[in-house]
Amino acid sequence: YIMLELGQPMHAFDGDRLKGNIQVRPANPKEKIKLLDGERLTLDAKSLLITDENGPVALAGIKGGASTMIHPKTHTIFLEAAFFDPDGVARTAREYGLNTDASHRFERGVDFEGQSRAIERATRLLIDIAGGDAGPLIDTLESDHLPTRAEILLRASRVTKVLGMNIEPTVIANSLFRLGFAFEPQSG
């Protein structure tokens, strides 16, 4: 649901089945994972994994592993939302013939700043529907691996030309501000 609402794929793990901290790392050559649907894969070193102390728990950006999947007696849920390189997800999905909703989203690029919002939204829905308490938000960021936002020059004259009507620069600035865009008005 969160993926449809916000465009952010997520995965829910059975928190009691996770051992220690999770991390994202490349697979070791010939490393194996059993996926949610029971499919077993032997991985290459280009595949990206989410792991815990016991090994792989998900094929990053594509599908979760069977060892930590949610089941009817699950009491603790660990939610994961991430940004994964679109090209890497596309390569891995094709390599193993896994075309999932999550892989399609990641292949096309997701907002690399939307993960916390998705986690908070999913947590709120879970608490409202099923009850319980929220744990801490763990935010791990590796800025070197994130895309950079390109600066966009927006001229009021171009807005007028595209829309076919004159919109005052103050109205444009107010609209950008309300939408949460960072901008610098420039004269001239």
Side-chain angles (χ1 to χ4, degrees):
Y1 175 76
I2 300 300
M3 183 172 64
L4 295 175
E5 181 183 23
L6 302 177
Q8 174 64 55
M10 297 180 62
H11 188 71
F13 297 92
D14 183 318
D16 295 329
R17 291 179 170 190
L18 285 171
K19 300 301 176 216
N21 295 326
I22 65 166
Q23 64 176 334
V24 178
R25 66 163 173 82
N28 298 315
K30 308 279 187 205
E31 191 166 14
K32 298 179 186 315
I33 185 171
K34 181 178 176 185
L35 299 174
L36 290 170
D37 59 5
E39 184 175 1
R40 295 174 190 274
L41 300 178
T42 300
L43 306 169
D44 63 31
K46 293 181 182 175
S47 302
L48 196 61
L49 292 172
I50 299 172
T51 66
D52 68 3
E53 289 177 6
N54 291 334
V57 295
L59 191 56
I62 300 172
K63 192 178 277 191
S67 66
T68 55
M69 69 185 205
I70 301 295
H71 59 91
K73 295 187 183 209
T74 296
H75 293 288
T76 304
I77 296 173
F78 181 91
L79 296 174
E80 170 263 329
F83 172 83
F84 295 114
D85 173 61
D87 293 336
V89 171
R91 187 210 67 81
T92 302
R94 275 194 292 282
E95 173 78 18
Y96 303 110
L98 297 170
N99 296 305
T100 63
D101 289 338
S103 71
H104 287 286
R105 295 289 176 140
F106 282 119
E107 289 172 24
R108 287 156 181 77
V110 300
D111 177 6
F112 58 88
E113 295 178 339
Q115 291 69 45
S116 293
R117 180 174 178 225
I119 291 284
E120 295 294 349
R121 175 72 172 133
T123 301
R124 174 60 22 218
L125 285 172
L126 279 169
I127 291 171
D128 288 351
I129 294 167
D133 298 307
L137 177 66
I138 302 166
D139 194 0
T140 303
L141 178 68
E142 293 191 30
S143 301
D144 297 346
H145 297 284
L146 294 177
T148 55
R149 293 211 186 266
E151 188 172 291
I152 299 171
L153 178 62
L154 176 65
R155 295 180 306 279
S157 62
R158 179 73 177 149
V159 171
T160 298
K161 184 175 179 181
V162 170
L163 296 180
M165 57 189 283
N166 185 37
I167 298 180
E168 293 297 317
T170 56
V171 173
I172 294 171
N174 187 32
S175 297
L176 292 172
F177 175 78
R178 289 192 336 249
L179 289 169
F181 289 103
F183 64 95
E184 286 181 37
Q186 297 178 358
S187 59

